[in-house]
Amino acid sequence: MRELRIRMLAGIFLVAGVLSWAGARLWNSIGTLPSVPLAAPIVLAVIAVVLLATALSIRARLKAQRERRPEAKGVDPLMAARAVVFGQASALVAALVAGMYGGTGVFLLELLDIPARRDQAIYAGFSVVAGIGVIAAAIFLERVCKLPEDDEHNGAGAAPTV
């Protein structure tokens, strides 16, 4: 499984942001730009919390296994792989969504004198912050589930992810 690349996520964020900014300008010149939902940052924050809780749980279970505690529950490799895939998918979607809301928020900065648009700019800003939180939690989860290098079996290559 390939690791997440921060450059790729940043590229997705920037491209989505530029396209969203241009689309918001065009849409607003033709008609009324749709509002930024209040639920956007909340949903992204919930996903970030779920990813972080999963990473902390797996990390604690792996630590208990390494210390050979009698009450230690093992980590199923398939469950860890599914968690990593969920984290990677969440990070990619969060980069896209945060970029879209970031571009829309930059456009809305021109309209801060209108109270409704100011609130939408704030929601868009919180969505970007929550999206970055999802990306950070996904990268942490990926690092927790990473297998240590095994020089005898894998050679000099990079360590695979569970």
Side-chain angles (χ1 to χ4, degrees):
M1 193 177 298
R2 297 183 67 154
E3 289 184 19
L4 285 172
R5 305 232 186 268
I6 293 177
R7 274 187 270 157
M8 181 185 62
L9 295 172
I12 292 171
F13 176 84
L14 290 175
V15 169
V18 169
L19 291 175
S20 177
W21 173 79
R25 287 182 59 91
L26 178 65
W27 196 321
N28 199 51
S29 68
I30 294 173
T32 303
L33 181 69
S35 65
V36 176
L38 174 61
I42 295 169
V43 169
L44 288 169
V46 167
I47 292 170
V49 167
V50 167
L51 287 171
L52 184 61
T54 302
L56 293 174
S57 172
I58 291 173
R59 186 176 74 166
R61 290 169 70 179
L62 288 172
K63 182 180 178 188
Q65 267 185 316
R66 278 192 307 273
E67 294 174 353
R68 302 196 188 279
R69 293 184 197 156
E71 76 278 355
K73 284 178 63 176
V75 176
D76 179 30
L78 187 58
M79 189 270 308
R82 287 178 180 158
V84 170
V85 169
F86 173 62
Q88 288 181 343
S90 297
L92 290 169
V93 171
L96 180 66
V97 170
M100 288 174 30
Y101 284 125
T104 303
V106 168
F107 170 74
L108 289 172
L109 290 176
E110 301 170 5
L111 306 171
L112 289 179
D113 54 335
I114 303 170
R117 295 298 187 187
R118 183 177 359 166
D119 291 345
Q120 291 173 9
I122 291 169
Y123 301 156
F126 282 142
S127 296
V128 171
V129 170
I132 292 169
V134 169
I135 292 169
I139 290 172
F140 178 63
L141 175 62
E142 186 178 65
R143 300 298 186 259
V144 165
C145 292
K146 188 173 183 173
L147 290 173
E149 283 193 52
D150 186 0
D151 292 329
E152 294 175 15
H153 296 97
N154 293 334
T161 305
V162 176

Coordinates of all heavy atoms in Angstrom, one line a residue, residues 71-123:
E71 N -3.2 -9.0 29.3 CA -4.5 -8.6 28.9 C -4.5 -7.9 27.5 O -5.6 -7.5 27.0 CB -5.1 -7.6 29.9 CG -4.6 -6.2 29.8 CD -3.2 -6.0 30.5 OE1 -2.7 -6.9 31.2 OE2 -2.7 -4.9 30.4
A72 N -3.4 -7.9 26.8 CA -3.3 -7.3 25.5 C -4.1 -8.0 24.4 O -4.0 -9.2 24.3 CB -1.8 -7.2 25.1
K73 N -4.9 -7.2 23.7 CA -5.7 -7.7 22.6 C -4.8 -7.4 21.4 O -4.3 -6.3 21.2 CB -7.0 -6.9 22.5 CG -8.1 -7.4 23.5 CD -9.3 -6.6 23.3 CE -10.0 -6.7 22.0 NZ -11.3 -6.0 21.9
G74 N -4.7 -8.3 20.5 CA -4.0 -8.2 19.3 C -4.7 -7.3 18.3 O -5.8 -7.0 18.4
V75 N -3.9 -6.8 17.3 CA -4.4 -6.0 16.3 C -4.5 -6.9 15.0 O -3.5 -7.4 14.5 CB -3.5 -4.8 16.0 CG1 -4.0 -4.0 14.8 CG2 -3.4 -3.9 17.2
D76 N -5.8 -7.0 14.5 CA -6.0 -7.8 13.3 C -5.4 -7.0 12.1 O -5.7 -5.9 11.9 CB -7.5 -8.0 13.1 CG -7.8 -8.8 11.9 OD1 -7.0 -9.6 11.5 OD2 -8.9 -8.6 11.3
P77 N -4.5 -7.6 11.4 CA -3.9 -6.9 10.3 C -4.9 -6.4 9.2 O -4.7 -5.4 8.7 CB -2.9 -8.0 9.6 CG -2.7 -9.0 10.7 CD -3.9 -9.0 11.6
L78 N -6.0 -7.2 9.0 CA -7.0 -6.7 8.0 C -7.7 -5.5 8.6 O -8.0 -4.6 7.8 CB -7.9 -7.9 7.8 CG -9.0 -7.6 6.7 CD1 -8.3 -7.3 5.3 CD2 -9.9 -8.8 6.5
M79 N -8.0 -5.5 9.9 CA -8.6 -4.3 10.4 C -7.7 -3.1 10.4 O -8.2 -2.0 10.0 CB -9.0 -4.6 11.9 CG -9.8 -3.5 12.6 SD -9.0 -2.2 13.4 CE -7.9 -2.9 14.5
A80 N -6.4 -3.3 10.6 CA -5.5 -2.2 10.5 C -5.4 -1.7 9.0 O -5.3 -0.5 8.8 CB -4.1 -2.6 11.0
A81 N -5.4 -2.6 8.1 CA -5.3 -2.2 6.7 C -6.6 -1.4 6.3 O -6.5 -0.5 5.6 CB -5.2 -3.5 5.8
R82 N -7.7 -1.9 6.8 CA -9.0 -1.2 6.5 C -9.0 0.2 7.1 O -9.4 1.2 6.5 CB -10.2 -1.9 7.0 CG -10.5 -3.2 6.2 CD -11.7 -3.9 6.8 NE -12.0 -5.1 6.0 CZ -12.6 -6.1 6.5 NH1 -13.1 -6.2 7.7 NH2 -12.8 -7.2 5.7
A83 N -8.4 0.4 8.3 CA -8.3 1.7 8.9 C -7.4 2.6 8.1 O -7.7 3.8 7.9 CB -7.8 1.5 10.4
V84 N -6.3 2.1 7.6 CA -5.4 2.9 6.8 C -6.1 3.3 5.5 O -6.0 4.5 5.1 CB -4.1 2.1 6.5 CG1 -3.3 2.8 5.5 CG2 -3.3 1.9 7.8
V85 N -6.8 2.4 4.9 CA -7.5 2.7 3.6 C -8.6 3.8 3.9 O -8.7 4.8 3.1 CB -8.2 1.5 3.0 CG1 -9.1 1.9 1.9 CG2 -7.1 0.6 2.5
F86 N -9.3 3.7 5.0 CA -10.3 4.7 5.4 C -9.6 6.0 5.6 O -10.1 7.1 5.2 CB -11.1 4.2 6.7 CG -12.0 5.3 7.2 CD1 -13.0 5.8 6.5 CD2 -11.7 5.8 8.5 CE1 -13.9 6.8 7.0 CE2 -12.6 6.8 9.1 CZ -13.6 7.2 8.3
G87 N -8.5 6.0 6.3 CA -7.7 7.2 6.5 C -7.2 7.9 5.3 O -7.4 9.1 5.1
Q88 N -6.7 7.1 4.3 CA -6.2 7.6 3.1 C -7.4 8.2 2.3 O -7.3 9.3 1.7 CB -5.5 6.6 2.3 CG -4.2 6.2 2.9 CD -3.4 5.2 2.1 OE1 -4.0 4.5 1.3 NE2 -2.1 5.1 2.3
A89 N -8.5 7.5 2.2 CA -9.6 8.0 1.4 C -10.2 9.3 2.1 O -10.5 10.3 1.4 CB -10.7 7.0 1.4
S90 N -10.2 9.3 3.4 CA -10.7 10.5 4.1 C -9.8 11.7 3.8 O -10.2 12.8 3.6 CB -10.8 10.2 5.6 OG -11.7 9.2 5.9
A91 N -8.5 11.5 3.8 CA -7.5 12.5 3.6 C -7.7 13.1 2.2 O -7.6 14.3 2.0 CB -6.1 12.1 3.8
L92 N -7.8 12.2 1.2 CA -8.0 12.7 -0.2 C -9.3 13.5 -0.3 O -9.3 14.6 -1.0 CB -8.0 11.5 -1.2 CG -6.7 10.8 -1.3 CD1 -6.9 9.5 -2.1 CD2 -5.7 11.7 -2.0
V93 N -10.4 13.0 0.2 CA -11.6 13.8 0.1 C -11.5 15.1 0.9 O -12.0 16.1 0.5 CB -12.8 12.9 0.6 CG1 -14.1 13.7 0.8 CG2 -13.0 11.7 -0.3
A94 N -10.9 15.0 2.1 CA -10.8 16.2 2.9 C -9.9 17.3 2.2 O -10.2 18.5 2.3 CB -10.1 15.9 4.3
A95 N -8.9 16.9 1.5 CA -8.1 17.8 0.7 C -8.9 18.5 -0.4 O -8.9 19.7 -0.6 CB -6.9 17.1 0.1
L96 N -9.8 17.7 -1.1 CA -10.6 18.2 -2.1 C -11.7 19.2 -1.5 O -11.9 20.3 -2.0 CB -11.3 17.1 -2.8 CG -12.2 17.4 -4.0 CD1 -11.5 18.1 -5.1 CD2 -13.0 16.2 -4.4
V97 N -12.3 18.7 -0.5 CA -13.4 19.5 0.2 C -12.8 20.8 0.8 O -13.4 21.9 0.6 CB -14.2 18.7 1.2 CG1 -15.1 19.5 2.0 CG2 -15.0 17.6 0.5
A98 N -11.7 20.7 1.5 CA -11.1 21.9 2.1 C -10.7 22.8 1.1 O -10.8 24.1 1.2 CB -9.9 21.4 3.0
G99 N -10.2 22.3 -0.1 CA -9.8 23.2 -1.2 C -11.0 24.0 -1.7 O -10.9 25.2 -2.0
M100 N -12.1 23.2 -1.9 CA -13.3 23.8 -2.4 C -13.8 24.9 -1.5 O -14.1 26.0 -1.9 CB -14.4 22.8 -2.6 CG -14.2 21.9 -3.8 SD -15.3 20.5 -4.0 CE -16.8 21.1 -3.3
Y101 N -13.9 24.6 -0.2 CA -14.3 25.6 0.8 C -13.3 26.7 0.9 O -13.7 27.9 1.2 CB -14.7 25.0 2.1 CG -16.0 24.3 2.1 CD1 -16.1 22.9 2.4 CD2 -17.2 24.9 1.6 CE1 -17.3 22.2 2.4 CE2 -18.4 24.2 1.6 CZ -18.4 22.9 1.9 OH -19.6 22.2 1.9
G102 N -12.1 26.4 0.8 CA -11.0 27.5 0.9 C -11.2 28.5 -0.3 O -11.1 29.7 -0.1
G103 N -11.4 28.0 -1.5 CA -11.6 28.8 -2.6 C -12.8 29.7 -2.5 O -12.8 30.9 -2.8
T104 N -13.9 29.1 -2.1 CA -15.1 29.8 -1.8 C -15.0 30.8 -0.7 O -15.4 32.0 -0.9 CB -16.3 28.8 -1.5 OG1 -16.4 27.8 -2.5 CG2 -17.6 29.5 -1.3
G105 N -14.2 30.5 0.3 CA -14.0 31.4 1.4 C -13.2 32.6 1.0 O -13.5 33.7 1.4
V106 N -12.2 32.4 0.1 CA -11.4 33.5 -0.4 C -12.3 34.4 -1.2 O -12.2 35.7 -1.1 CB -10.2 33.0 -1.2 CG1 -9.5 34.1 -2.0 CG2 -9.2 32.3 -0.3
F107 N -13.2 33.9 -2.0 CA -14.1 34.7 -2.8 C -15.0 35.5 -1.8 O -15.3 36.7 -2.1 CB -15.0 33.9 -3.7 CG -16.1 34.6 -4.3 CD1 -15.8 35.6 -5.3 CD2 -17.4 34.5 -3.9 CE1 -16.9 36.3 -5.9 CE2 -18.4 35.2 -4.4 CZ -18.2 36.1 -5.4
L108 N -15.5 34.8 -0.8 CA -16.4 35.5 0.2 C -15.7 36.6 1.0 O -16.4 37.4 1.5 CB -17.0 34.4 1.1 CG -18.0 33.5 0.5 CD1 -18.4 32.4 1.4 CD2 -19.2 34.2 -0.1
L109 N -14.4 36.6 1.0 CA -13.7 37.7 1.7 C -14.0 39.1 1.1 O -13.9 40.1 1.8 CB -12.2 37.5 1.7 CG -11.7 36.3 2.6 CD1 -10.2 36.1 2.4 CD2 -12.1 36.5 4.0
E110 N -14.4 39.1 -0.2 CA -14.8 40.3 -0.9 C -16.1 40.8 -0.4 O -16.5 42.0 -0.6 CB -14.8 40.1 -2.4 CG -13.5 39.7 -3.0 CD -13.6 39.2 -4.4 OE1 -14.7 39.4 -5.0 OE2 -12.6 38.7 -5.0
L111 N -16.9 40.0 0.2 CA -18.3 40.3 0.5 C -18.5 40.3 2.1 O -19.7 40.0 2.5 CB -19.3 39.3 -0.1 CG -19.1 39.1 -1.6 CD1 -19.9 37.9 -2.1 CD2 -19.5 40.4 -2.4
L112 N -17.5 40.6 2.8 CA -17.7 40.6 4.3 C -18.6 41.6 4.9 O -19.1 41.5 6.0 CB -16.3 40.7 5.0 CG -15.4 39.5 4.8 CD1 -14.0 39.8 5.5 CD2 -16.0 38.2 5.3
D113 N -19.0 42.6 4.1 CA -19.9 43.6 4.6 C -21.3 43.1 4.6 O -22.2 43.7 5.3 CB -19.8 44.9 3.7 CG -20.0 44.6 2.2 OD1 -19.8 43.5 1.8 OD2 -20.4 45.6 1.5
I114 N -21.6 42.0 4.0 CA -23.0 41.4 4.0 C -22.9 40.3 5.1 O -22.1 39.4 5.1 CB -23.3 40.7 2.7 CG1 -23.2 41.7 1.6 CG2 -24.7 40.0 2.7 CD1 -23.3 41.1 0.2
P115 N -23.7 40.4 6.2 CA -23.7 39.5 7.3 C -23.8 38.0 7.0 O -23.1 37.2 7.5 CB -24.8 40.0 8.2 CG -25.1 41.4 7.9 CD -24.7 41.5 6.4
A116 N -24.7 37.7 6.1 CA -24.8 36.3 5.7 C -23.6 35.7 5.0 O -23.2 34.6 5.3 CB -26.1 36.1 4.8
R117 N -23.0 36.5 4.2 CA -21.7 36.1 3.5 C -20.6 36.0 4.5 O -19.7 35.2 4.3 CB -21.4 37.0 2.3 CG -22.4 37.0 1.2 CD -22.5 35.6 0.6 NE -23.4 35.6 -0.6 CZ -23.7 34.5 -1.2 NH1 -23.3 33.4 -0.8 NH2 -24.5 34.6 -2.2
R118 N -20.6 36.9 5.5 CA -19.5 36.9 6.5 C -19.6 35.5 7.3 O -18.6 34.9 7.5 CB -19.6 38.1 7.4 CG -18.6 38.1 8.5 CD -18.7 39.4 9.3 NE -19.9 40.1 8.8 CZ -20.6 41.0 9.4 NH1 -20.2 41.5 10.5 NH2 -21.6 41.6 8.8
D119 N -20.8 35.1 7.6 CA -21.0 33.9 8.3 C -20.5 32.7 7.5 O -19.9 31.8 7.9 CB -22.5 33.7 8.7 CG -22.9 34.6 9.8 OD1 -22.0 35.2 10.5 OD2 -24.1 34.8 10.0
Q120 N -20.9 32.8 6.2 CA -20.4 31.7 5.3 C -18.9 31.7 5.1 O -18.3 30.6 5.0 CB -21.1 31.9 3.9 CG -22.6 31.6 4.0 CD -23.3 32.0 2.7 OE1 -22.6 32.3 1.7 NE2 -24.6 32.0 2.7
A121 N -18.3 32.8 5.1 CA -16.8 32.9 5.1 C -16.2 32.2 6.3 O -15.2 31.5 6.2 CB -16.3 34.3 4.9
I122 N -16.8 32.4 7.4 CA -16.4 31.8 8.7 C -16.6 30.3 8.6 O -15.6 29.6 9.0 CB -17.1 32.4 9.9 CG1 -16.7 33.9 10.1 CG2 -16.9 31.6 11.2 CD1 -17.5 34.7 11.1
Y123 N -17.7 29.8 8.2 CA -18.0 28.4 8.0 C -16.9 27.8 7.1 O -16.4 26.7 7.3 CB -19.4 28.1 7.5 CG -20.5 28.6 8.4 CD1 -21.7 28.9 7.9 CD2 -20.3 28.9 9.8 CE1 -22.8 29.3 8.7 CE2 -21.3 29.3 10.5 CZ -22.6 29.6 10.0 OH -23.6 30.0 10.8

